[in-house]
């Protein structure tokens, strides 16, 4: 109980905390004395709505356990993700006497997932969306345009004589030019529009909610 790396919280049937382990303190920042007599709601971050907890308790009352991801809050106010398992303990008469919660901090795992997702969908040099993410956004934009009878525009362009930059000034200068280009293009567009690097010196721009072709021509200009 004390040696496990997972945080453990034991409450009575009234959900009042009766015991926590050292990992609980390490993860949440709360000492045992601060937690005893409180309810696990002391850790609520506010990110889950009432429906989330309704479904959680319905599962516990029906099956005796629940497992899933929640966002809780440490003593210092930091919100973090955890993987949580809650089990109901019953006596010989089938009455619930305790609830046991076992949880682990999955912040590093979430960060790794987010980093991998970013790497999969973005160009490493410029930070712009890559071809994969651009195509996903384009498909969604086409669906919205059809649903709301709107138009959109796609601009495709490259940099003339970009090879000359690499050949005369070197690839480091070429990379710097591409990064600068990405910043300029991003500054020219609205938040709902997308600028992507397709590869090499080729860029695309997805313009949402175009009223008429002339609007796209203005952006192109």
């Amino acid at each position: 109980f004390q040696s496990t790396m997972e945080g453990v919280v034991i409450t009575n049937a009234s959900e009042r905390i009766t015991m926590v382990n050292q990992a609980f303190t390490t993860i949440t920042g709360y000492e045992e004395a601060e937690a005893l007599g409180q309810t696990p709601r002391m850790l609520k971050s506010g990110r889950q709505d009432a429906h989330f907890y309704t479904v959680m308790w319905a599962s516990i009352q029906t099956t005796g356990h629940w497992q899933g991801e929640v966002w809780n809050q440490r003593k210092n106010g930091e919100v973090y993700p955890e993987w949580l398992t809650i089990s109901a303990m019953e006596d010989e008469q089938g009455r619930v006497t305790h609830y046991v919660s076992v949880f682990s901090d999955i912040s590093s795992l979430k960060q790794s997932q987010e980093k991998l997702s970013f790497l999969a969908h973005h160009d490493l040099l410029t930070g712009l969306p890559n071809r994969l993410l651009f195509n996903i956004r384009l498909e969604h934009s086409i669906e919205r345009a059809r649903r709301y009878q709107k138009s959109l525009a796609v601009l495709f362009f490259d940099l003339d004589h970009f090879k000359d930059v690499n050949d005369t000034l070197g690839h480091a200068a070429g990379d710097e030019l591409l990064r600068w280009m990405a910043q300029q293009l991003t500054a020219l567009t609205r938040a709902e529009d997308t600028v992507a690097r397709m590869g090499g010196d080729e860029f695309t721009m997805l313009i949402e909610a175009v009223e008429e072709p002339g609007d796209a021509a203005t952006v192109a200009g």
Side-chain angles (χ1 to χ4, degrees), residues 7 28-29 38 49 81 88 90 95 97 104 107 132 165 196:
T28 69
Q38 303 293 326
D49 57 17
E90 299 179 348
R95 294 172 299 191
T97 60
S104 55
S107 298
L132 174 61
V165 176

Side-chain angles (χ1 to χ4, degrees), residues 118 122-130 174-183 186 195-198 200 202-203:
F118 182 87
H122 290 79
D123 172 55
L124 296 183
L125 178 63
T126 63
L128 292 177
N130 61 14
D175 289 348
E176 184 60 31
L177 176 58
L178 291 172
R179 283 191 289 265
W180 177 85
M181 190 69 185
Q183 294 170 358
T186 302
V195 177
R197 182 187 177 204
M198 305 303 277
E202 297 176 341
F203 295 85

Side-chain angles (χ1 to χ4, degrees), residues 9-217:
V9 180
I10 299 177
T11 73
N12 58 23
S14 300
E15 301 174 44
R16 294 290 174 178
I17 297 175
T18 60
M19 190 180 299
V20 298
N21 68 346
Q22 181 57 45
F24 168 89
T25 298
T26 302
I27 296 172
T28 69
Y30 287 99
E31 297 293 337
E32 181 181 30
E34 298 175 293
L36 294 180
Q38 303 293 326
T39 72
R41 287 187 288 275
M42 65 186 290
L43 303 173
K44 285 180 64 174
S45 66
R47 288 202 181 185
Q48 288 90 209
D49 57 17
H51 177 70
F52 176 89
Y53 292 103
T54 298
V55 173
M56 171 191 288
W57 280 105
S59 174
I60 295 172
Q61 292 167 359
T62 303
T63 67
H65 67 273
W66 179 89
Q67 186 177 68
E69 181 181 310
V70 299
W71 287 84
N72 275 341
Q73 184 169 287
R74 307 187 208 275
K75 183 179 179 180
N76 63 8
E78 178 187 358
V79 177
Y80 70 98
E82 67 178 38
W83 186 257
L84 172 66
T85 300
I86 302 176
S87 301
M89 301 290 103
E90 299 179 348
D91 60 16
E92 294 178 354
Q93 285 73 43
R95 294 172 299 191
V96 173
T97 60
H98 297 84
Y99 295 101
V100 178
S101 301
V102 181
F103 64 94
S104 55
D105 185 343
I106 57 173
S107 298
S108 59
L109 177 61
K110 295 286 285 187
Q111 290 169 358
S112 297
Q113 291 174 338
E114 291 170 0
K115 184 176 181 179
L116 288 173
S117 177
F118 182 87
L119 293 175
H121 294 92
H122 290 79
D123 172 55
L124 296 183
L125 178 63
T126 63
L128 292 177
N130 61 14
R131 184 188 301 269
L132 174 61
L133 182 55
F134 180 82
N135 288 338
I136 292 173
R137 291 185 179 179
L138 178 59
E139 289 178 5
H140 291 168
S141 295
I142 292 173
E143 290 176 3
R144 284 196 298 270
R146 285 173 175 161
R147 184 180 303 118
Y148 299 110
Q149 298 298 303
K150 296 288 185 178
S151 296
L152 56 88
V154 175
L155 310 183
F156 179 89
F157 48 94
D158 60 8
L159 307 183
D160 290 344
H161 311 298
F162 178 71
K163 184 176 182 299
D164 294 342
V165 176
N166 282 336
D167 290 345
T168 59
L169 301 177
H171 288 278
D175 289 348
E176 184 60 31
L177 176 58
L178 291 172
R179 283 191 289 265
W180 177 85
M181 190 69 185
Q183 294 170 358
Q184 299 301 309
L185 294 173
T186 302
L188 287 172
T189 56
R190 303 166 299 179
E192 61 266 31
D193 300 330
T194 297
V195 177
R197 182 187 177 204
M198 305 303 277
D201 64 343
E202 297 176 341
F203 295 85
T204 52
M205 188 179 292
L206 170 61
I207 309 299
E208 301 268 10
V210 177
E211 296 298 331
E212 57 182 1
D215 294 340

